[in-house]
Amino acid sequence: MKNAVFMTSILAGFAVAGFAIPATAQDAGGLTKEKAVLPDKPVYSPYADRNFPTRPFFGDTHLHTSFSMDAGAFGARLGPREAYQFARGDQVNSNTGQPVKLSRPLDFLVVADHSDNMGFFPDLFAGKPNLLADPTGKKWYDLIKGGNGNEAALDIIVAFSHNKFPKDLMYFPGTTAYKNAWQETIEAAEEYNDPGRFTAFIGYEWTSNTGGNNLHRNVIFRDNADKASQVVPFTVYPPYGSDNPVHLWEWMEKYEKKTGGQVLAIPHNGNLSNGLMFPTTEAFGKKLDKEYVETRARWERLYETTQTKGTGEAHPNLSPNDEFANFEIWDKGNLDGSVAKTPEMLPHEYSRAAYKNGLKLAKSLGTNPYKFGLVGSSDAHTGLSALAEENFFGKTVPQEPSPERMMKPFFDNKKTGVKVMDWEVGASGYAAVWANENTRESIWDAMQRKETYATTGPRMVVRFFGGWDFTENDSQGRLPAEIGYTKGVPMGGDLHAAPEGKTPTFLVAALKDPLGGNLDRYQIVKGWMDAKGELHEKVYDVAWSGDRKPDAKGKVPSVGNTVDVENATWTNTIGAPELIAVWKDPDFDPKEAAFYYGRVIEIPTPRWTAYDAKRFGVKPLPDTRMTVTERAYTSPIWYTP
C-alpha cells in the first residue's frame, strides 16, 4: 500500500486539480452524496465545463469586537469594520497600538459579538450622554478616561456576570441603543461583503452561561441586510431572552418563518460546560425526547471543536489508547472556574464522546442529535483573527503580544483553586469549508451540509471520502475529488445499508500548508455501537510519511522532532508535503451503526510561546508548552445499518 507521496513538484496541481467538489446532491446506491457535474460530451480538458470549486475556503466563524461587553471591558477598541478589514488582508493597528497583518487574507469572517448588551462599551468609551447620566456609568467613564481602565473593566464584568448591572444602563432589545448597535453590525458586514473575493457574514453569539457553565452558540445568517434587519438577536437575560438553547431554536424558527431566511447555530467550548453541552438523559430539567433530538439536529449542524479556550475533540481519560488525545486541553472547571471539573462531566463535553452517545440516542429516540460537522474558530475578543503561532495576537487585549503575556494567569478563581495561565491559551483555530464559491450562500450551504473541517491554525487542504468501492488505484491519480464524489460521499455525508459482502472504503488525501510544517500522518477515527448497545472507538493510522512501519498494535512510530525551541525554528526534513491513500475498515460489522472522521497531524513546530520567548527575551514559566503538533479534524461520515 502506498502510504505517502513525496512529490513537491506537483503540489500546485494537486491543490487545484485534485481537490475538486461538485454542486448537486443525489442519493443512490446506499450513498447520500454530492454527484459530480460532468460535461454532456467528452472534452479534452479535464477541468472544462465542471461546476467544481478548486479549493477550500478558510475563515473564522467566531470573532468578537468592541461591541461585545466583555471584549470592550478588556480593552478592545476595534469594531466590526476593523475586524473585516483585517480579515480580508489589510494591515491595521491592534488595540494596543501594534501594527498587525495576516500572512494571507482569510476568505470569510463572522463577527459574532455577544447579543446581551451589544454595543454598550463603544458608547461608554465615547461618553454618550445617556450613559453618563447614570452615576455608575459616569464612574466607569471617569475611571477609563483617568487611565484606570482595568479597574473599570473588573467592576463592569463583575456587575454584569452577577446580574447587578444597573438596569438603566442595559442595552436591551427594544431600546434604540440596542437596535443601533445591531444595525451597525449589519451595515459593517454589508460594506465588507465582496462576493467572489471575501465573505462577511451577519451573525452574533448567544451566551448562555448560568452558573458559569458554557452553553454558548454562534448564530450565522445566510441572508443579507434586508432579512437580518427585520429582527434583533436573541439574548439571555429575561424577559427579553432565555438561557435555554431550546428557546434559541424557537427564535431561529420564528426568524425563518417571518423572513424566509435561513440561520444555523454553532455551539462551542463544551469543555467548559461542566457536563451540560451534550446531555444524554435530560436538559434544563426536562427528559430528552423525540422533539428535543430532532430540533437540535435541525438547527445545530456544526460544532466548533477547537479554539483559543482549548480543543474539544477528545480527552485522554475518555480515549486512553489515543496518543494524540491530550492536545491543548482545558479541563479544570467551567468558564469562570467557579466549579471544578469532575470525571463524570467529561463524556458530555467532547465531540468524539458526543458522536458515540449520539449513536445510542438515535437508537432510542429515532434521531441522532449529535450528527454535526466540525469547524474551528478563534473566539478572539480583540477584533483580530490572528491565529498563526508566529503571529498570535491573543484571545483578549491583555493577551496581545508583550513580554508579560505568558507569565500571568488568564483567570484565577481563589475560592475553587481553578487557575488557567495565559500560556495555556491556544493559537487556534480556523474553519475550512468546501464550497462552490466565495459567497454567503455557497459557504453557508456547505456548512449546512457539513462539508467542513476544523484546523488548529494551518491552512492544510484535507479531503475525506467514504464508499464501498474505492481501490488502491484510486489513490494513484491526481484527481482524488472526482473519484471521491463519483464513487462515494464526502465528509459530512452518510453511508446506508451495506451492500451484500461490502465493507466501507475511504479515500483520504491531505496537502500541507505552504507556510506550515510537513505532515506526519493521516488517521481515521472510528466509533461504533455493538449489538449490546456498548460504545467503542478506535484510531487507525492510514497514511504516513517516510518508511516507518506500524507495530504489532498497528501504531506508527513517532515522526521525530526538528524544533529548535531556543530559536523558535524547525526544519521540514521529516514528514511529507502530501499524503493520499485508500483504507478499508478491517473491523466492520454491517449490523453496527458507526461514524468515521479524519484527523491529520503535522510534524512538531514551535508554539506561540516559543516565538514570544525568542522575540521578547523572556524565560518561560515551568511546564509551559513550547511546541505544538498542529492538526485538522474532518466532519464525519456516518454509517447507518
Side-chain angles (χ1 to χ4, degrees), residues 155-171:
D155 201 20
I156 291 169
I157 291 172
V158 169
F160 192 66
S161 61
H162 289 80
N163 204 25
K164 296 181 179 179
F165 201 88
K167 298 302 180 184
D168 290 343
L169 298 181
M170 286 291 287
Y171 280 26

Side-chain angles (χ1 to χ4, degrees), residues 434 450-453 462-464 489-493 634-637:
W434 286 104
K450 300 175 282 192
E451 196 163 0
T452 63
Y453 60 97
V462 181
R463 279 296 197 184
F464 183 56
V489 299
M491 59 185 78
T634 77
S635 296
I637 293 171

Side-chain angles (χ1 to χ4, degrees), residues 418-434:
V418 176
K419 179 167 70 173
V420 175
M421 298 299 295
D422 270 350
W423 66 258
E424 295 180 86
V425 174
S428 187
Y430 285 131
V433 179
W434 286 104

Side-chain angles (χ1 to χ4, degrees), residues 114-137:
H114 296 299
S115 58
D116 283 278
N117 237 22
M118 180 184 288
F120 168 84
F121 219 90
D123 283 359
L124 177 65
F125 193 72
K128 290 292 182 71
N130 62 305
L131 299 180
L132 299 187
D134 184 279
T136 304

